[in-house]
């Protein structure tokens, strides 16, 4: 079953500093809370959450859940800043949490009301995303995903240990790469020995030079997923976030594809539940978060779409297929957890990345 969880950005923070200026005061006024609301408006990634869960919530509480789907975080950001839509619960990419918190766009979550919070794996509770390390504004809704090199063990002609290995001429015409700016330049910076959030222009230029060399071998840049070009044999290698998707998609892929534990580490990304500060239904939104942390409900999304659960395995085990945790992506994700990196969206870095990205894609 294909899963679209963790769809990433193709173009990041196009509005830059102007957006952060608009942020100021957007959520500073305390929203008047509505008692006993009859509906909630939520925005989530499509292909991630089983709609059956939200119907179950309505059956139990009488509160209708109106679902909107997001294709990237810029869409959500613009809607909140412009005030063109009101949401009570959002599925927020970890890289954006700091900007949303700094802009006062999020409300603190009443964790004392989350009876099922203890179902979440301890390591995801111990530290929140950048900008909300104490977890005051967010609750993780999935385990982490990773952007790394995935290759076909039957057709890839070289051994791969580092992103730099993708520049090997033997891979000409065989590589697919995501075109997310942070994923590309973060990975290249790390491969060159620098921090993924570097704003040093000389370091960024070196990363760009590496990407230029790799681009000579690239057959396709992909926005959402590299699954199809890997499965149909069009490409034998991809820098992508699709390893767990491939494993969930077809058991034959368990032996066919492998994810590289890049020697310099790989990008980690996590999604979070967050409540907009403008919501007048924050108590009901918190109630929905708690409902979504029930293993019997959370499991419905994993059965339908797959994915890396944020809930403890012993809590969830009775509600997912017996062989759910046998697919190799779980062991691989555990192996890279401690040596992965993540960054928060930063105007200065994004501006610098975008300058080089334009040059990269224009060549």
């Amino acid at each position: 079953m294909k899963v679209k969880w963790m769809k990433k950005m193709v173009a990041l923070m196009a509005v830059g500093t102007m957006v952060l200026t608009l942020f100021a005061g957007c959520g500073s006024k305390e929203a008047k809370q509505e008692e006993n609301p009859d509906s909630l408006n939520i925005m989530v990634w499509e292909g991630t959450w089983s709609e059956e869960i939200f119907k179950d919530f309505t059956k139990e509480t009488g509160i209708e859940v109106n679902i909107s789907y997001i294709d990237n975080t810029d869409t959500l950001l613009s809607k909140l800043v412009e005030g063109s839509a009101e949401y009570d619960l959002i599925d927020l990419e970890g890289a954006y949490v700091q900007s949303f918190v700094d802009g006062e766009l999020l409300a603190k979550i009443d964790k004392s009301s989350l009876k099922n919070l203890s179902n979440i794996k301890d390591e995801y509770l111990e530290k929140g995303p950048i900008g909300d390390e104490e977890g005051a504004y967010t609750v993780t809704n999935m385990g982490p995903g990773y952007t790394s090199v995935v290759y076909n063990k039957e057709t890839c002609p070289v051994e791969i240990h580092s992103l730099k290995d993708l520049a090997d001429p033997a891979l000409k015409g065989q590589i697919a790469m995501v075109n997310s700016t942070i994923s590309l330049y973060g990975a290249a910076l790390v491969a060159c020995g620098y921090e993924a959030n570097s704003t040093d222009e000389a370091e960024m230029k070196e990363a760009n030079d590496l990407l230029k060399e790799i681009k000579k071998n690239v057959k396709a840049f992909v926005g959402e997923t590299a699954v199809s070009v890997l499965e149909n044999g069009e490409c034998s290698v991809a820098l992508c976030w699709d390893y767990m998707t491939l494993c969930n998609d077809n058991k034959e892929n368990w032996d066919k594809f492998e994810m590289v534990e890049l020697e310099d580490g790989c990008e980690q990304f996590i999604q979070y539940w967050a409540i907009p500060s403008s919501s007048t239904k924050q108590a009901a939104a918190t109630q929905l978060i708690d409902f979504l942390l029930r293993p019997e409900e959370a499991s419905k999304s994993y059965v339908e779409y797959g994915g890396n659960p944020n809930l403890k395995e012993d809590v969830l085990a009775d509600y997912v297929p017996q062989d759910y945790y046998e697919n190799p992506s779980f062991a691989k994700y555990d192996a890279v957890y401690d040596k992965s990196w993540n960054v928060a969206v930063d105007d200065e870095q994004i501006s610098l990345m975008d300058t080089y990205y334009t040059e990269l894609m224009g060549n």
Side-chain angles (χ1 to χ4, degrees), residues 173-179 217-222 226 229 234-235 237:
Q174 297 190 47
I175 297 176
M177 294 189 80
V178 296
N179 56 2
N217 296 334
V218 172
K219 184 177 182 65
F221 281 94
V222 293
V229 295
E234 185 177 350
C235 296
V237 180

Side-chain angles (χ1 to χ4, degrees), residues 177-320:
M177 294 189 80
V178 296
N179 56 2
S180 162
T181 314
I182 282 182
S183 297
L184 282 176
Y185 283 91
L189 283 164
V190 169
C192 292
Y194 306 122
E195 296 295 324
N197 61 351
S198 173
T199 55
D200 183 282
E201 186 155 3
E203 294 177 357
M204 192 70 73
K205 181 181 183 304
E206 187 176 338
N208 194 58
D209 288 342
L210 171 59
L211 291 173
K212 284 182 179 178
E213 289 301 308
I214 294 173
K215 186 186 175 187
K216 295 176 182 177
N217 296 334
V218 172
K219 184 177 182 65
F221 281 94
V222 293
E224 182 180 313
T225 176
V227 168
S228 61
V229 295
L230 286 170
E231 288 189 329
N232 67 21
E234 185 177 350
C235 296
S236 66
V237 180
L239 176 68
C240 63
W241 39 77
D242 294 312
Y243 184 57
M244 183 164 279
T245 303
L246 284 164
C247 291
N248 287 327
D249 211 23
N250 190 329
K251 283 188 177 181
E252 292 182 4
N253 290 338
W254 292 14
D255 295 321
K256 187 174 183 180
F257 295 99
E258 180 68 273
M259 185 178 99
V260 179
E261 296 178 36
L262 294 171
E263 58 189 21
D264 297 307
C266 60
E267 178 191 23
Q268 179 194 100
F269 49 90
I270 305 181
Q271 297 293 125
Y272 294 87
W273 292 127
I275 299 174
S277 55
S278 58
S279 170
T280 61
K281 307 171 185 179
Q282 293 173 17
T286 304
Q287 186 180 1
L288 177 55
I289 293 174
D290 195 48
F291 188 85
L292 293 164
L293 294 177
R294 295 182 186 178
E296 63 270 28
E297 296 299 335
S299 62
K300 293 174 182 177
S301 292
Y302 299 124
V303 170
E304 186 171 345
Y305 295 115
N308 187 14
N310 63 328
L311 302 188
K312 297 172 182 175
E313 186 173 340
D314 61 342
V315 168
L316 196 61
D318 289 341
Y319 301 97
V320 294

Side-chain angles (χ1 to χ4, degrees), residues 334-353:
D334 287 343
V336 301
Y337 180 78
D338 289 330
K339 51 185 178 182
S340 59
W341 53 265
N342 56 70
V343 297
V345 168
D346 175 86
D347 284 343
E348 182 181 1
Q349 188 188 37
I350 291 300
S351 178
L352 187 57
M353 285 180 176

